[in-house]
Amino acid sequence: MKIIDLSDEHKPLYFVCLEDWSEEMKESGSHKEVWYDKIKDKGLGVKLAVDDDGKACGMIQYIPIEESAVDGKDLYFIYCIWVHGYKKKGVGNRQKRGMGKALLEAAEADAKAKRANGIAAWGLALPFWMKASWFKKQGYKKVDKQGFQTLLWKPFSEDAVPPKWVKQKKKPVIHEGKVTVTSFKNGWCPAQNIVFERAKRAAAELGDKVIFREIDTFDKEVFLEWGISDALFIDQKQVRTGPPPSYEKIKKKITKKVRKLARHR
Ligand SMILES: CC(C)(COP(=O)(O)OP(=O)(O)OC[C@H]1O[C@@H](n2cnc3c(N)ncnc32)[C@H](O)[C@@H]1OP(=O)(O)O)[C@@H](O)C(=O)NCCC(=O)NCCS
C-alpha cells in the first residue's frame, strides 16, 4: 500500500468518495467536481491510499482552516477521511489495516511542511460514521462541541490558537401559505449533495405550495451570514441529514407540512 497525491486518473473516483459502484452516489450530481474546481487552488490537499494493485481504497481531504466552515487561523482542517468499508462492493472492506492511520499521518506531515501550526478535524460523538473517538486515539484533543459534532485538533506549536465551530446565526424565513424548503449546500460532501438534490426534486414534485430555496454556502460571506454550511430545513425545522434520508422520506416530510397547510385554511 502507498499514499499518493490525487492524480487525474483517480479524480472520477474521488468525486464519488471511492464509491463508483453506488447507485445512490449518482444522485449527488456534479457538485463535488464543481466545488473541487473552485477550491483546488486554495490549498486543498487530497491524498489517497492505493493498494498494491493500484486501486484507491482510502482518501483524506484537508484545507487551510480559513477556507473551511470552522473559525481558526494558521491550521489545516480535515473535511473527511474515509477508508472503503463496504463488503462485496467496489474494493471491499479495507478498514483496520493501517490505511487510515497512514492517510492521517501523511496529511499531518503535509500540513507541517506547509508551516501550519496544527491540524483540526471533526468527528461525531456517536459510534458510527466519522467517529471523534478515532481521532482521539490518534492524539487529537477535543476543543469544541456543537450538538453531536465534536471539533478536535492537534497543535504542532505552542502558539497555535484553538479553533472553534461557527455557531448558527439565524433560521430560514418562512412564507405565509407555503411550505419553505431551504437547502444549504457547500458542495464538498457528496452525501450532503444527495440530500440537496433529493429535497429539490421532492419540492418541485409537490408543486406551487412548496418554495425551494437554495443557499450556496461555498461563498464564505453567505456562510458567515447564516453560520450553516450544509443543512436541510422544512420551514424552520431542521431535518437530520447524516446519513442522507431517502427521497421518499424527504418527500413525506414535506407532504405532511403541505397537508397541514390545507387543514389550516
Ligand atoms: C476511521 C477510519 C478512517 C480508520 O481507518 P482504518 O484504516 O480503518 O484504521 P487503521 O487500520 O489505520 O487503524 C488505526 C488505529 O485505529 C484503530 N481503529 C481502527 N478502526 C477502529 C474502530 N472502528 N474503532 C476503534 N478503533 C479503531 C486501530 O486499531 C488502530 O489502532 P492502533 O493505532 O493502536 O494500531 C476508517 O475506519 C473509516 O473510514 N471509517 C469511517 C469514517 C467515515 O465515516 N468517513 C466518512 C466521513 S464523510
Side-chain angles (χ1 to χ4, degrees):
M1 185 271 294
K2 59 180 180 189
I3 304 295
I4 60 164
D5 285 313
L6 179 67
S7 61
D8 284 344
E9 176 201 347
H10 288 112
K11 271 182 192 164
L13 201 54
Y14 161 68
F15 293 145
V16 293
C17 297
L18 317 180
E19 296 175 25
D20 55 344
W21 49 266
S22 164
E23 280 303 311
E24 204 178 12
M25 236 346 141
K26 289 186 186 135
E27 286 183 63
S28 69
S30 61
H31 300 292
K32 185 166 176 186
E33 190 171 350
V34 170
W35 167 84
Y36 174 83
D37 283 336
K38 286 191 286 186
I39 205 146
K40 65 179 187 315
D41 299 326
K42 294 188 174 185
L44 175 75
V46 181
K47 299 217 178 270
L48 301 176
V50 175
D51 71 8
D52 296 341
D53 298 331
K55 288 186 191 142
C57 306
M59 57 180 261
I60 188 165
Q61 48 185 355
Y62 49 97
I63 187 92
I65 203 160
E66 291 82 354
E67 302 292 339
S68 79
V70 172
D71 184 5
K73 200 175 171 304
D74 300 329
L75 307 171
Y76 269 77
F77 176 70
I78 300 170
Y79 276 117
C80 73
I81 178 166
W82 164 238
V83 174
H84 195 273
Y86 297 100
K87 285 183 210 159
K88 297 183 185 166
K89 305 253 168 75
V91 291
N93 185 356
R94 301 299 183 107
Q95 295 184 357
K96 299 192 181 178
R97 300 178 199 186
M99 283 187 177
K101 205 169 168 172
L103 283 164
L104 191 60
E105 282 171 2
E108 288 172 8
D110 192 21
K112 276 183 190 160
K114 288 174 175 149
R115 300 187 176 278
N117 285 342
I119 192 159
W122 66 277
L124 298 177
L126 296 169
F128 53 85
W129 231 5
M130 263 224 336
K131 293 196 303 181
S133 61
W134 187 76
F135 285 105
K136 281 191 194 151
K137 198 167 177 193
Q138 310 306 319
Y140 285 63
K141 297 262 179 308
K142 183 178 147 184
V143 66
D144 198 7
K145 201 166 184 275
Q146 187 160 253
F148 290 121
Q149 296 199 57
T150 303
L151 185 64
L152 305 106
W153 79 321
K154 187 187 255 189
F156 302 150
S157 73
E158 289 208 339
D159 52 359
V161 181
K164 288 185 296 205
W165 285 119
V166 173
K167 302 277 182 272
Q168 186 179 325
K169 300 201 175 110
K170 54 182 190 177
K171 282 191 168 183
V173 178
I174 53 171
H175 297 84
E176 194 65 32
K178 304 266 182 191
V179 175
T180 311
V181 176
T182 312
S183 193
F184 294 81
K185 177 183 61 66
N186 172 281
W188 75 270
C189 177
Q192 295 309 308
N193 298 340
I194 288 173
V195 175
F196 169 83
E197 286 296 333
R198 286 179 180 167
K200 189 175 176 179
R201 188 150 62 93
E205 208 157 292
L206 289 166
D208 61 1
K209 284 278 160 270
V210 182
I211 294 176
F212 182 76
R213 243 188 117 196
E214 167 182 350
I215 301 194
D216 181 3
T217 58
F218 182 84
D219 182 331
K220 189 87 192 234
E221 257 179 54
V222 174
F223 164 69
L224 289 174
E225 178 193 335
W226 291 89
I228 302 171
S229 173
D230 285 274
L232 176 64
F233 286 81
I234 299 175
D235 286 340
Q236 292 197 322
K237 195 168 178 342
Q238 189 168 356
V239 178
R240 276 228 198 152
T241 54
S246 67
Y247 170 73
E248 287 72 25
K249 196 166 177 184
I250 294 175
K251 192 173 166 191
K252 206 167 155 188
K253 278 182 188 285
I254 306 173
T255 307
K256 225 171 155 181
K257 284 276 184 182
V258 172
R259 290 209 181 112
K260 234 180 183 176
L261 271 185
R263 281 204 298 274
H264 288 117
R265 282 178 122 197

